Amino acid sequence: MNSNRWTKRRVAGRRLSGWLLAAALGVSLAGCGGASSNGSSAKGEGAAAQDAGTATLVIGAYSVAKDALQEILPAFGRAWEAKTGQKLKFQESYEASGTQARSIVGGFKADVAVLSLEGDMDKIVKAGLMSKDWKKTETGGMITRSIVVLGTREGNPLGITGFADLAKPGVKVLFPNPKVSGGAQWDINAIYGAGLKQAERESGKKDPDAAKAFLKAVYRNVESMDKSGRASMAAFEYGVGDVIVTYENELLARVAQGVHYDIVTPEDTILIENPAGVVDVNADAHGVRAAADALVAYMSGAEAQAVFAEHGFRPVNEEAASRYADRYVTPSGLFDIGYLGGWGQVRGELYAKRGVWYQVLAGK
């Protein structure tokens, strides 16, 4: 990583640190009147009884969004009460994105889903719980962006510059398990896509076989695959591994809190987009549809986007994106999911039972 990029990271870290410290001291996990920060209580009975003066929204979210949401939900609750006179309480569940989606499909009565992958939202749509129109918003149903980056020990002792270095002998790599973690799928998509980019530069065309070999070489050095991006980050902080493949926002937030890591932005990496939507069947049954719709809209508005940005996410709201633009590096080879053919093709080619990832695991 060059000095200019690291300087930008240091500046971003200093700007973030004071705000995050104040937020950590000022906001309790109870949020807006009795929230659950893990899956246990929220997954029991669903929403509490609603009345004209009080309502409960059940939130099913992926783990990486937890810190930002525990700022945003109380703020929305205050705004909603000022507008309608109705006091909101929140029941919150935070899990790996794939686990959360399966829980909702399996009976967890979330009113709003905040997940890592469009594909996880599609599982809820396929189960008949959510309208297929959830993407019909100004931001395409997305509330945050990020990119896949690499975190190293302070000083980057192994001289890591990009994904290719993860395949070098002796480098111990961490990323989560893509069977349950949406973040892991973004990580793998980034590595596979970087392999396609490298092949394209060398031969003039995308070469899936070369990209698979690239991914396989990195996988040989994987030390641990945890259940979620947040669990993978915890393992890294405990001392496991040399390099973590993760969301940029995860590392920015930790650096801002005083943790001493280097952030390496690969030349070729993927743009992450994270969705949110109302789980229509549940929100209607609980009588909280208006509040649920308003929350999803609020999360893509300037106020909530500023909170997401302070937690290291890249805003989807144009006003907030312009305000925080100087915090983020745009790598020269940045690509989005469309470069890989879109989520339909990615699910079929990479994550199907006989797909590329299966073959990599099987050593084929």
Side-chain angles (χ1 to χ4, degrees):
M1 180 173 172
N2 63 40
S3 60
N4 289 337
R5 287 182 177 177
W6 176 230
T7 298
K8 289 184 178 181
R9 297 295 184 190
R10 289 288 193 190
V11 170
R14 287 195 295 270
R15 289 177 180 170
L16 282 161
S17 59
W19 191 97
L20 283 169
L21 179 59
L25 292 172
V27 179
S28 73
L29 298 186
C32 196
S36 166
S37 62
N38 56 41
S40 58
S41 62
K43 292 184 180 180
E45 298 177 359
Q50 315 298 330
D51 59 45
T54 305
T56 299
L57 282 180
V58 183
I59 312 299
Y62 73 111
S63 59
V64 171
K66 179 179 180 179
D67 295 341
L69 286 180
Q70 289 185 334
E71 305 287 344
I72 288 168
L73 294 177
F76 171 72
R78 291 189 293 270
W80 181 256
E81 185 175 8
K83 179 179 179 180
T84 68
Q86 185 180 55
K87 183 177 179 62
L88 289 178
K89 297 180 180 180
F90 297 98
Q91 292 180 353
E92 303 159 44
S93 168
Y94 298 96
E95 300 280 3
S97 185
T99 301
Q100 195 67 268
R102 285 190 292 274
S103 295
I104 294 170
V105 170
F108 168 38
K109 304 298 184 182
D111 301 308
V112 174
V114 182
L115 301 178
S116 176
L117 300 179
E118 180 179 328
D120 288 334
M121 301 291 274
D122 290 342
K123 293 173 186 175
I124 303 172
V125 172
K126 189 175 180 180
L129 299 173
M130 175 182 284
S131 168
K132 63 182 179 181
D133 294 334
W134 67 269
K135 290 183 67 178
K136 291 185 177 179
T137 71
E138 291 185 3
T139 60
M142 304 300 160
I143 59 165
T144 52
R145 295 190 181 109
S146 191
I147 62 174
V148 173
V149 298
L150 308 175
T152 76
R153 303 300 173 187
E154 185 176 14
N156 192 7
L158 298 183
I160 301 298
T161 61
F163 290 119
D165 292 332
L166 305 188
K168 291 180 177 179
V171 178
K172 298 176 182 179
V173 180
L174 298 184
F175 57 72
N177 186 339
K179 286 192 68 175
V180 294
S181 169
Q185 290 190 30
W186 283 116
D187 297 340
I188 292 165
N189 295 348
I191 298 167
Y192 183 79
L196 287 178
K197 285 272 189 178
Q198 180 174 299
E200 197 170 18
R201 281 193 294 269
E202 293 173 353
S203 67
K205 65 178 182 179
K206 296 178 184 177
D207 184 345
D209 290 334
K212 173 185 166 183
F214 189 86
L215 177 60
K216 188 175 180 180
V218 172
Y219 174 70
R220 289 193 194 102
N221 282 347
V222 171
E223 178 87 348
S224 174
M225 291 195 299
D226 293 288
K227 68 176 184 177
S228 69
R230 182 55 56 89
S232 190
M233 195 72 223
F236 189 60
E237 294 197 353
Y238 189 72
V240 179
D242 302 309
V243 185
I244 184 169
V245 187
T246 190
Y247 288 14
E248 174 189 53
N249 53 280
E250 280 284 80
L251 288 170
L252 283 176
R254 297 304 293 143
V255 169
Q257 292 169 1
V259 182
H260 299 295
Y261 297 133
D262 280 19
I263 301 174
V264 178
T265 303
E267 178 183 355
D268 299 322
T269 192
I270 197 166
L271 177 68
I272 295 167
E273 295 185 293
N274 310 119
V278 176
V279 185
D280 301 271
V281 169
N282 295 338
D284 289 341
H286 298 155
V288 294
R289 180 56 184 267
D293 282 338
L295 172 59
V296 172
Y298 179 85
M299 285 191 287
S300 62
E303 184 175 344
Q305 288 289 294
V307 177
F308 278 125
E310 296 292 354
H311 284 272
F313 289 95
R314 297 181 179 219
V316 298
N317 174 277
E318 289 185 8
E319 177 186 337
S322 175
R323 178 180 169 189
Y324 292 95
D326 63 343
R327 293 191 175 189
Y328 305 105
V329 174
T330 301
S332 60
L334 185 66
F335 56 92
D336 62 18
I337 198 68
Y339 179 75
L340 304 181
W343 274 112
Q345 184 171 328
V346 166
R347 286 193 293 269
E349 292 186 359
L350 262 70
Y351 303 112
K353 286 186 176 180
R354 297 294 183 268
V356 170
W357 180 244
Y358 168 88
Q359 294 171 37
V360 167
L361 291 177
K364 296 182 178 180

